[in-house]
Amino acid sequence: MIGKPTSLDAILHAKEERAWKQKELLSRHPLASLISLCINIPSFIKLSHEAVVVHEIAHNALLTMLQNEGIELLACESKRSPTGAESLFTCNAEAKALKVFTCKLENAHPLGRLMDIDVLDCTGKILSRSDLVLPKRKCFVCEEEAQLCARSQKHSYTELGAHIKTLVEKHAFSDSIALWCERAMKTEVELTPKPGLVDQANSGAHRDMDIHTFYASIQAIKPFVPQWIHIAQTYAHEDAKQSFKRLREIGIACEKAMFEATSGVNTHKGMIFCLAVFCGAIGRIKASDQSFTCKSLQAQMQALCDTLVEDDLLHVKPNSAGARFFYESGSSGIRGIAQSGFAIIFEHTLPFFQACKEEEGEETALKKTLLLLMSRLDDSTLWSRGGIEGLAYAKTQAKALLHVKPNVENLDAHLRELDADMISKNLSPGGSADLLAMTWLVSSLLSS
């Protein structure tokens, strides 16, 4: 849904729906006032990545403002649709006081010009800035009066979009990366059908989780992304291996939050490790003012995980699934992948995914990339469920399916058949799913 264009008719219909919802909320609370939050995106792509980032920041800033001012929040509703992201806050407060606070937020926040915050009194009247004797809002490109620029179409959508991207990059970088990580995890779990994995159709070979468990897990993980980036930026001057230790400490806290959100179910333990390394690399690149390229990302990820196999598996003998996998199969698993700087992504799945996406579209590219990963990866999740035989079976089946080169029409039929087969054998390629999400994440970041 994010990044999809909408139509003028849909925008006008959404405006009517919002007005109806505002009226309905005020009728439920006759003495209340209402704050209506939308995002200023001058484009037919109203739900852009940047719009969602700004909406999340504005939504949380308004909640903080209400709490700090001791204002009772009676109801709060928020939604995303192709016509934009919006929130409604029903408050037990005088409308004029709310307008003062929201204007301060719009004026003081570095992204405030992108926030469109209306305040309605108990009768449904929208208070204007002129009611508070405040100047009209300025254009965020040239500082002239915004309405005049809009009326004359002084700035093109391309110019305005580029300026918005720059503002978000400057003032909400870690929030933007956090949203990319959330989108990557959701893209993976929502991809359907997938063999042996949780998706929108079923729970795969997992009896203790479903797609809603994953959604809860994703929301628990997301707040840790800015922490990883911040710690990597702050300590970018120190040895990368020392930075990795700091990242791992945050990762342990993230795992705890995940288990709390899922009632003890391991949905994303491997993904948390991958994201910690990815965000650490992002933070170190950002701190050194380098460009985000495949080369710089892989180099930083490799530096962070240097000697990880030796440190975690050879010099000690921990009783973990990864260690048992290493000693039985000889495969270094995710630690070896990380120590290589995720070479399997940069050298294999990323170019494969990008070429397939251009030819057949993103959804088909994701499904085929998953098969490529399953055919190549020594997946410890498969091994833990089916031993060496189960791992070999999944690799062989995925390779055979790729070899027949299914087209868009019959690919899903093949995947559903393999899904049923792997469910019957209790096999799930969880490690491949994590690296699929990482492939999408790297591709999206580099092309954004």
Side-chain angles (χ1 to χ4, degrees):
M1 185 164 56
I2 295 178
K4 304 293 184 185
T6 189
S7 66
L8 180 58
D9 283 346
I11 293 169
L12 293 174
H13 181 67
K15 189 174 181 180
E16 290 174 0
E17 278 194 336
R18 185 163 58 251
W20 178 86
K21 188 64 181 178
Q22 291 167 350
K23 186 176 180 180
E24 191 265 330
L25 284 169
L26 288 172
S27 69
R28 260 195 269 160
H29 305 278
L31 300 179
S33 301
L34 189 137
I35 299 172
S36 179
L37 166 68
C38 296
I39 305 303
N40 286 319
I41 299 294
S43 163
F44 280 108
I45 301 178
K46 293 295 182 184
L47 198 72
S48 65
H49 181 89
E50 290 73 24
V52 176
V53 172
V54 177
H55 174 258
E56 289 179 347
I57 290 171
H59 180 97
N60 291 330
L62 284 168
L63 288 177
T64 300
M65 177 204 80
L66 294 173
Q67 184 177 14
N68 290 343
E69 299 298 334
I71 296 171
E72 183 183 6
L73 181 62
L74 301 172
C76 178
E77 297 187 15
S78 182
K79 74 170 188 176
R80 293 179 190 172
S81 73
T83 55
E86 56 187 75
S87 297
L88 296 171
F89 306 81
T90 312
C91 306
N92 185 15
E94 196 264 326
K96 196 168 183 179
L98 287 178
K99 187 65 177 177
V100 170
F101 296 138
T102 58
C103 284
K104 283 182 180 177
L105 176 60
E106 288 177 337
N107 293 337
H109 198 285
L111 297 173
R113 184 58 194 87
L114 302 178
M115 302 172 190
D116 184 8
I117 310 174
D118 286 335
V119 174
L120 289 74
D121 67 16
C122 61
T123 70
K125 177 193 171 186
I126 299 176
L127 276 66
S128 67
R129 285 179 159 247
S130 60
D131 291 332
L132 301 179
V133 199
L134 290 173
K136 293 182 178 179
R137 303 191 78 180
K138 294 182 178 181
C139 169
F140 52 77
V141 175
C142 68
E143 292 296 306
E144 290 186 13
E145 191 177 310
Q147 284 184 341
L148 295 178
C149 284
R151 207 171 289 142
S152 65
Q153 296 183 322
K154 182 177 179 180
H155 309 289
S156 68
Y157 281 171
T158 301
E159 182 184 4
L160 293 167
H163 193 77
I164 289 169
K165 280 181 179 286
T166 300
L167 284 174
V168 171
E169 168 82 13
K170 182 178 180 181
H171 300 292
F173 176 76
S174 62
D175 299 276
S176 179
I177 299 297
L179 179 60
W180 281 121
C181 293
E182 175 192 2
R183 291 177 66 186
M185 289 184 280
K186 283 186 174 180
T187 296
E188 182 279 313
V189 75
E190 290 174 355
L191 184 68
T192 306
K194 298 193 301 288
L197 294 162
V198 173
D199 58 24
Q200 296 182 85
N202 59 48
S203 295
H206 300 272
R207 296 179 180 84
D208 57 349
M209 62 181 82
D210 59 20
I211 197 166
H212 301 291
T213 319
F214 273 75
Y215 287 149
S217 176
I218 290 165
Q219 291 310 306
I221 292 167
K222 187 179 177 183
F224 290 88
V225 170
Q227 294 183 42
W228 280 316
I229 294 173
H230 174 72
I231 206 76
Q233 281 186 271
T234 302
Y235 295 97
H237 62 279
E238 71 181 3
D239 178 70
K241 286 181 69 175
Q242 184 59 37
S243 284
F244 176 78
K245 292 179 182 177
R246 298 182 190 276
L247 294 167
R248 196 172 232 179
E249 288 174 4
I250 298 171
I252 292 169
C254 184
E255 279 185 17
K256 182 180 178 183
M258 174 200 73
F259 282 122
E260 288 175 356
T262 62
S263 301
V265 177
N266 176 15
T267 45
H268 283 113
K269 193 170 181 179
M271 191 68 194
I272 288 170
F273 173 82
C274 293
L275 289 180
V277 177
F278 172 79
C279 293
I282 291 289
R284 289 172 70 85
I285 292 169
K286 182 75 171 173
S288 60
D289 289 325
Q290 295 180 58
S291 298
F292 292 105
T293 63
C294 287
K295 185 177 180 180
S296 63
L297 266 174
Q298 186 172 9
Q300 287 293 347
M301 292 165 100
Q302 199 166 17
L304 286 166
C305 300
D306 185 40
T307 72
L308 185 59
V309 172
E310 292 83 351
D311 295 341
D312 276 12
L313 300 177
L314 290 178
H315 297 160
V316 293
K317 195 171 183 178
N319 183 29
S320 67
R324 291 193 298 274
F325 181 48
F326 173 71
Y327 287 110
E328 179 174 328
S329 69
S331 173
S332 55
I334 189 60
R335 289 173 176 83
I337 290 169
Q339 189 165 314
S340 73
F342 289 81
I344 191 171
I345 291 177
F346 293 102
E347 296 171 16
H348 298 287
T349 63
L350 184 61
F352 178 88
F353 169 71
Q354 290 173 332
C356 191
K357 179 182 175 181
E358 188 171 337
E359 185 177 337
E360 301 181 273
E362 182 173 281
E363 185 174 339
T364 299
L366 285 166
K367 291 169 182 175
K368 290 187 175 181
T369 303
L370 175 61
L371 290 171
L372 177 66
L373 280 161
M374 289 173 61
S375 71
R376 288 174 175 261
L377 188 66
D378 288 332
D379 193 324
S380 61
T381 309
L382 282 168
W383 169 84
S384 68
R385 286 171 166 265
I388 296 298
E389 297 80 11
L391 173 59
Y393 171 81
K395 290 174 82 168
T396 300
Q397 293 298 310
K399 188 175 182 179
L401 188 48
L402 270 179
H403 182 70
V404 300
K405 297 182 180 178
N407 57 36
V408 176
E409 287 72 29
N410 62 23
L411 176 59
D412 280 5
H414 285 290
L415 288 172
R416 281 191 288 268
E417 186 178 345
L418 182 56
D419 183 35
D421 200 24
M422 291 185 68
I423 290 172
S424 71
K425 292 177 170 59
N426 194 35
L427 297 175
S428 174
S432 297
D434 292 339
L435 292 182
L436 178 67
M438 288 295 293
T439 299
W440 185 93
L441 178 57
V442 173
S443 176
S444 299
L445 179 70
L446 294 177
S447 62
S448 66

